[in-house]
Amino acid sequence: MSGSWFPQWRKKSAVTDNGLVAPDETLPAGQTIIMGLQHAVAMFGATVLMPLLMGLDPNLSILMSGVGTLLFFLITGGRVPSYLGSSAAFVGVVIAVTGFNGQGLNPHLGVALGGIIACGLLYTLVGLVVMKAGTRWIERLMPPVVTGAVVMAIGLNLAPIAVRSVSASMFDSWMAVMTVLCIGVVAVFTRGMVQRLLILVGLMLAWAIYALFTNGLGFGKPVDFSLLASAPWFGMPQTTAPTFSMQAIFMIAPVAVILVAENLGHLKAVAGMTGRNLDPYMGRAFVGDGLATMLSGSVGGSGVTTYAENIGVMAVTKVYSTLVFVAAAVIAMLLGFSPKFGALIHTIPGPVIGGASIVVFGLIAVAGARIWVQNSVDLSLNGNLIMVAVTLVLGAGDFALNIGGFTLGGIGTATFGAIILNAILSHRRATALSDSKALPQDS
């Protein structure tokens, strides 16, 4: 690690120079802004969708994603290329804590915000420990078999919520099916940036079909554009003050486990693509992400995480300059200050959001399986098999425990259960292995 906090960025022309643009290199200003715009577009779909699913103000979440990315840039000393967007890991616990029905703004949002702040604090503390002790203890406590099981349990826990949100009428159910088909068609039959924005583009197609059936043909509830027409172009987004409840804190704070695993995996991926060792900045990255989550939650925004979508853009463009993410953050902040943009987002019909949530929640579950595949997790080992089996049922069945006056919901019991079971069973495995090595061998 160099002596100065920030690197000395070297100028590089993407036109004349071959190969990648390193984190401590910079493109000309015009190209930096264009690349920043591309990263803003890449994060846009999920960063808007996640607040909608939780009943948060999408304008504020977009704004705080930009603020959080700038904070992350400062704390990591401009050495880690990452964009911080709304995390899907919070969706299940926020809905569970607030009882949100999926329509409009969440009336009980303040309770969830207290939990998000507590999660950010726990995440920050983990980062401070990593700055002192390194990451090896995290990899032992939360190996891929654990993180994969917890991520999959979150996706399965959300499944009934997604289905219930589109079951009010048969028309709503069919519109949800149409949304799923639109997203699937975009995912399979398009290429390039359109395919990267499959959720957003599929949602827009479904939105247009819904408007045709309702506003045009008279089926179902028509789309109301009156708020869009009256909303000003510029203004402050709506903020919400947090309230602190021990039950909400104990349900939401364990999400820090997922954020740590995501950030760890993302930094390893970027390190592999750039050829740079980012381990010395891992603790700083955790602290930056944790503080950004606390800041966002303190005003009514979503908890944030490093975004795989933006890592995908870097992999395609081979441009890893951290100054590009400053440009992306500024663009996001400008969007956040437009009430007309927020009003446009709120015209998306409930059945369309519900259909998109079916896809997103399913993708969260599949992401857990992908962690196992990428890390060659051996599910033939009894210890792994038992831990995974119990974790998935605890999460999918929303198994709750009452502990001293507060209730730990299915996602919390699945998370803690996975970590504790793995610690017990892996210790047993290690003991058995050491005993077998100690046995005398036949000559």
Side-chain angles (χ1 to χ4, degrees):
M1 206 185 300
S2 65
S4 62
W5 190 261
F6 290 100
Q8 297 294 317
W9 282 278
R10 305 185 304 277
K11 289 187 178 180
K12 183 167 185 174
S13 169
V15 177
T16 59
D17 294 333
N18 294 322
L20 60 80
V21 179
D24 58 355
E25 295 177 330
T26 180
L27 294 169
Q31 293 180 34
T32 297
I33 292 170
I34 292 170
M35 286 301 304
L37 179 61
Q38 183 168 263
H39 276 288
V41 171
M43 67 81 191
F44 178 84
T47 297
V48 167
L49 181 62
M50 299 312 158
L52 285 177
L53 297 178
M54 293 182 279
L56 280 66
D57 181 358
N59 264 52
L60 185 62
S61 292
I62 285 281
L63 170 63
M64 294 313 296
S65 78
V67 172
T69 298
L70 288 180
L71 180 62
F72 182 89
F73 173 85
L74 292 172
I75 290 174
T76 59
R79 298 174 189 275
V80 180
S82 278
Y83 191 91
L84 303 189
S86 305
S87 173
F90 287 95
V91 175
V93 286
V94 167
I95 291 173
V97 164
T98 61
F100 182 58
N101 64 5
Q103 299 295 319
L105 291 176
N106 194 329
H108 307 295
L109 179 58
V111 177
L113 296 176
I116 290 172
I117 292 171
C119 176
L121 177 60
L122 178 59
Y123 192 6
T124 302
L125 293 175
V126 170
L128 293 173
V129 173
V130 168
M131 289 175 71
K132 289 290 184 183
T135 59
R136 189 176 297 275
W137 66 277
I138 291 178
E139 292 165 353
R140 289 194 58 168
L141 190 66
M142 296 181 296
V145 65
V146 169
T147 54
V150 172
V151 170
M152 184 175 284
I154 289 174
L156 295 175
N157 183 271
L158 294 168
I161 297 166
V163 173
R164 282 198 301 269
S165 72
V166 297
S167 301
S169 70
M170 195 52 64
F171 178 77
D172 285 1
S173 298
W174 278 111
M175 284 297 103
V177 170
M178 183 59 66
T179 304
V180 171
L181 290 175
C182 286
I183 294 171
V185 166
V186 174
V188 174
F189 294 104
T190 62
R191 294 290 179 269
M193 186 53 68
V194 174
Q195 191 179 57
R196 290 191 175 282
L197 296 172
L198 60 102
I199 299 288
L200 181 63
V201 175
L203 190 140
M204 289 170 65
L205 285 174
W207 185 8
I209 293 169
Y210 182 95
L212 174 64
F213 275 99
T214 56
N215 296 55
L217 301 177
F219 294 95
K221 181 183 177 183
V223 180
D224 182 7
F225 292 103
S226 59
L227 288 176
L228 177 62
S230 61
W233 282 101
F234 296 104
M236 288 294 294
Q238 180 179 334
T239 58
T240 304
T243 57
F244 295 91
S245 154
M246 288 306 296
Q247 181 168 326
I249 287 171
F250 275 93
M251 284 186 70
I252 297 176
V255 170
V257 171
I258 307 301
L259 301 183
V260 166
E262 282 180 343
N263 207 334
L264 185 68
H266 291 169
L267 261 68
K268 295 285 187 184
V270 173
M273 290 187 287
T274 60
R276 301 286 180 93
N277 178 22
L278 296 178
D279 284 358
Y281 309 109
M282 191 79 73
R284 285 199 212 173
F286 290 171
V287 170
D289 202 350
L291 290 178
T293 293
M294 291 178 70
L295 181 61
S296 180
S298 67
V299 295
S302 171
V304 295
T305 186
T306 50
Y307 254 32
E309 289 90 334
N310 297 90
I311 293 173
V313 172
M314 287 190 282
V316 171
T317 61
K318 294 184 169 56
V319 176
Y320 301 94
S321 172
T322 51
L323 293 178
V324 165
F325 291 93
V326 174
V330 171
I331 291 167
M333 290 167 67
L334 291 175
L335 278 176
F337 283 117
S338 175
K340 193 169 284 292
F341 162 73
L344 177 66
I345 297 301
H346 280 297
T347 61
I348 301 173
V352 173
I353 295 173
S357 69
I358 290 173
V359 177
V360 171
F361 298 166
L363 289 174
I364 293 171
V366 172
R370 189 180 351 177
I371 291 171
W372 294 336
V373 172
Q374 289 174 339
N375 293 277
S376 302
V377 170
D378 187 357
L379 291 180
S380 69
L381 297 175
N382 283 347
N384 288 347
L385 200 59
I386 295 296
M387 185 278 294
V388 168
V390 171
T391 300
L392 295 187
V393 172
L394 292 178
D398 200 22
F399 181 81
L401 284 175
N402 191 282
I403 306 171
F406 67 88
T407 302
L408 189 64
I411 293 175
T413 56
T415 302
F416 287 122
I419 293 172
I420 294 167
L421 268 177
N422 179 72
I424 294 169
L425 299 178
S426 64
H427 174 75
R428 172 63 185 158
R429 247 190 342 260
T431 304
L433 184 61
S434 62
D435 288 347
S436 67
K437 287 180 179 178
L439 291 174
Q441 302 296 316
D442 293 334
S443 57

